[in-house]
Amino acid sequence: MRWQHDGGFVADDDPARIDVDVVHGFLRTAYWSPGVPRDVVERAIAGSLNLGVYDEAGAQVAYARAVTDRATFAWIADVFVLESHRGHGLGRFVVSTLLEHPELRGLRRVMLATADAHELYRSYGFGDLPDPSRMLVVQRDPATLYGSRA
């Protein structure tokens, strides 16, 4: 599916259109995925509902994905807008378009994690976990996991 942004940008959920170089280039330096190898990014794309945002020339300028069973749960991840294209409302465009995607409607739970965009996500209805003690995590150090594969 495709969605049009007023500024001439287009969001598209076609995974074949994702520019893995752009996504990997951003994610390998992002605070949440430092050093992530390209093959890991490729597998993440393959296993997700992806949304790329493209400029009028067709170059990818933003991205977000949902890890989901398309029935009950989704985890929103890897949301970004390239620095060169910030200030055009593309962060809101990519998030709102992904959250409104037909395959994510009616889910019981949609989650995400952020270090710096709490207010943005609160504007979409996200809130703190009602009981964080129910949530557990296994977290591994990226440097140990990936070493120098990036």
Side-chain angles (χ1 to χ4, degrees), residues 49 65-76 95-110:
L49 173 61
R65 69 187 180 96
V67 181
T68 181
D69 62 7
R70 293 171 166 84
T72 64
F73 176 82
W75 178 271
I76 305 301
V95 171
S96 63
T97 303
L98 184 60
L99 291 173
E100 294 168 9
H101 194 285
E103 293 190 45
L104 298 183
R105 289 191 192 136
L107 302 182
R108 278 196 316 261
R109 179 171 290 157
V110 178

Side-chain angles (χ1 to χ4, degrees), residues 31-37 138-147:
Y31 72 81
W32 64 87
S33 56
V36 65
V138 172
Q139 189 145 340
R140 296 184 174 95
D141 177 48
T144 302
L145 268 179
Y146 308 137

Side-chain angles (χ1 to χ4, degrees), residues 71-82:
T72 64
F73 176 82
W75 178 271
I76 305 301
D78 297 338
V79 179
F80 71 83
V81 176
L82 295 179

Side-chain angles (χ1 to χ4, degrees), residues 113-146:
T114 185
D116 55 5
H118 293 77
E119 292 312 309
L120 168 69
Y121 292 112
R122 286 185 201 289
S123 73
Y124 291 103
F126 286 90
D128 296 331
L129 289 170
D131 185 357
S133 70
R134 291 184 175 199
M135 302 300 290
L136 301 173
V137 64
V138 172
Q139 189 145 340
R140 296 184 174 95
D141 177 48
T144 302
L145 268 179
Y146 308 137

